[in-house]
Amino acid sequence: MFGKQNLNVEYGNLKVKDVATKVGSLFGPKGKTVGEKVDLVTKKITIKIEK
């Protein structure tokens, strides 16, 4: 379902892939570019938050 899997977050049943890219996009094109670079460096990392 998801192609590349970079910095991810899991909270209960909610799973968010490519978090850095999504957060960076809130700051425009330059922020998205920075987020993509962070995702490239943090491949296969998942932060699990338990309730």
Side-chain angles (χ1 to χ4, degrees), residues 1-5 15-18:
M1 185 165 136
F2 296 99
K4 57 184 180 169
Q5 294 184 1
K15 295 179 182 181
V16 181
K17 307 289 183 184
D18 301 329

Side-chain angles (χ1 to χ4, degrees), residues 7-41:
L7 182 61
N8 309 308
V9 174
E10 292 183 10
Y11 180 73
N13 293 332
L14 178 67
K15 295 179 182 181
V16 181
K17 307 289 183 184
D18 301 329
V19 174
T21 301
K22 289 180 174 96
V23 171
S25 67
L26 295 173
F27 299 97
K30 190 170 185 175
K32 182 178 178 186
T33 301
V34 171
E36 288 171 344
K37 290 179 182 179
V38 170
D39 276 334
L40 285 174
V41 175

